[in-house]
Amino acid sequence: MKQRLKLAIGLVVVGAILLGIAAVTVKPVNAAPHAFHFGFKRSVDGSIPSVKEEGFEHILQKHGAWYVGDTDKKELFLTFDNGYENGYTIKILDVLKEKQVPAAFFVTGHYVKQHADLVKRMVEEGHIVGNHSWTHPDMTQISAAQIQSELEQVKQQAAPLMGQQQMKYLRPPRGIFNDHVLDISRQAGYTSVFWSLAYKDWEVNAQKGARYAYEQVMKQLHPGAIMLLHSVSSDNAAALGDIIDAARNQGYTFKSLDDLPLSETIPGLN
């Protein structure tokens, strides 16, 4: 009887050990760090947007990433994401040229390969061309080497079109990032730029008209706004001139990302 009891106890102990080992071994050794999808508390009546409740403020600060400019100044920073061309970038560039407004265009590898003429025009007309990755992946799910490759391929493809301009600004695809992504990007020489003004403008089959785009942008206007618009939107192309005129009538000026101070201290995070 005693022998059986000892055997039973032994089996229980061994089973517990095996379960413990299993519990340890099933945990991924190289699990990706926590990923964030960029979000913010929107501006209302000119208030300053906030990321304090999103849980990643310290990561932006750590890596010198921007989502808003100097909130003490009535300055706006106009940026476009160019994943692919939908026929509206020429219109956008025409308006920017007419209104003498600088902008930043974040381009993918597909865009640079297919529309080198437009990238070249962006540069020639004084706009910034930024990196939006080669294939638009979730960069929190790929290795450091793959992140570097994604960025380098865009840089090399665009180099013949850039003149004296250096590609130095990055917008992570889909706004998905973590500490690792921003760290690798910064080591590659990039300043990551997010946004403090945006609306759901990228669904090409759900456009709602120029007036809608105008209202969505104007109601979020605030000092230091980094404005994100998608160039695939017909609404944006149609509303852009009126947005620029109305913002200027409110006392705003449009600035280049190069006017953001290269500092460890980001005004919007203080």
Side-chain angles (χ1 to χ4, degrees):
M1 184 70 177
K2 288 183 180 179
Q3 205 163 2
R4 287 181 183 176
L5 181 59
K6 287 181 181 179
L7 179 59
I9 292 172
L11 289 172
V12 168
V13 172
V14 170
I17 292 172
L18 289 174
L19 284 172
I21 292 172
V24 172
T25 55
V26 295
K27 181 180 179 181
V29 176
N30 296 314
H34 179 70
F36 296 98
H37 201 147
F38 185 82
F40 59 95
K41 182 179 180 181
R42 295 186 180 216
S43 172
V44 177
D45 296 327
S47 64
I48 306 305
S50 172
V51 297
K52 293 184 182 299
E53 298 177 1
E54 303 298 329
F56 53 66
E57 181 180 24
H58 64 293
I59 298 177
L60 301 184
Q61 185 73 64
K62 175 182 176 181
H63 297 291
W66 291 86
Y67 85 98
V68 66
D70 190 337
T71 55
D72 291 327
K73 297 179 180 179
K74 295 194 77 171
E75 297 176 343
L76 303 173
F77 302 85
L78 186 57
T79 74
F80 293 87
D81 279 4
N82 289 64
Y84 64 96
E85 180 55 38
N86 198 31
Y88 303 114
T89 304
I90 290 176
K91 166 73 171 173
I92 289 169
L93 287 170
D94 288 345
V95 171
L96 295 175
K97 185 176 182 179
E98 176 192 349
K99 304 291 184 181
Q100 292 296 290
V101 169
F105 294 87
F106 289 90
V107 298
T108 61
H110 171 81
Y111 197 91
V112 179
K113 286 193 298 181
Q114 298 297 318
H115 302 285
D117 56 332
L118 291 177
V119 175
K120 188 175 182 181
R121 180 180 171 185
M122 292 168 189
V123 174
E124 289 175 346
E125 295 184 359
H127 304 298
I128 287 171
V129 175
N131 203 322
H132 201 37
S133 81
W134 186 253
T135 63
H136 207 260
D138 175 350
M139 294 204 295
T140 67
Q141 299 299 312
I142 61 179
S143 68
Q146 288 171 312
I147 293 172
Q148 292 165 345
S149 176
E150 284 280 336
L151 302 183
E152 187 62 23
Q153 286 184 82
V154 176
K155 184 176 181 179
Q156 292 300 322
Q157 186 76 28
L161 313 171
M162 298 285 285
Q164 298 300 311
Q165 185 183 138
Q166 298 297 313
M167 190 170 277
K168 57 185 177 181
Y169 297 103
L170 165 71
R171 178 162 285 155
R174 290 174 279 169
I176 302 174
F177 72 101
N178 56 21
D179 182 86
H180 178 68
V181 168
L182 296 193
D183 181 40
I184 298 301
S185 302
R186 195 174 194 186
Q187 288 182 44
Y190 290 93
T191 296
S192 294
V193 180
F194 294 92
W195 56 89
S196 62
L197 186 160
Y199 77 102
K200 193 174 181 180
D201 62 347
W202 60 87
E203 292 186 346
V204 298
N205 295 320
Q207 297 293 291
K208 299 180 180 181
R211 186 66 191 177
Y212 178 81
Y214 173 88
E215 290 172 351
Q216 295 306 305
V217 172
M218 295 305 298
K219 72 181 182 181
Q220 295 184 63
L221 222 55
H222 64 87
I226 296 179
M227 306 165 66
L228 165 60
L229 298 176
H230 286 81
S231 61
V232 295
S233 166
S234 59
D235 291 354
N236 287 339
L240 184 59
D242 288 340
I243 290 170
I244 291 170
D245 290 344
R248 282 175 166 165
N249 286 338
Q250 291 187 22
Y252 285 97
T253 58
F254 287 86
K255 309 290 283 187
S256 166
L257 290 183
D258 283 342
D259 294 315
L260 290 170
L262 296 178
S263 168
E264 296 295 321
T265 302
I266 302 173
L269 298 182
N270 290 340

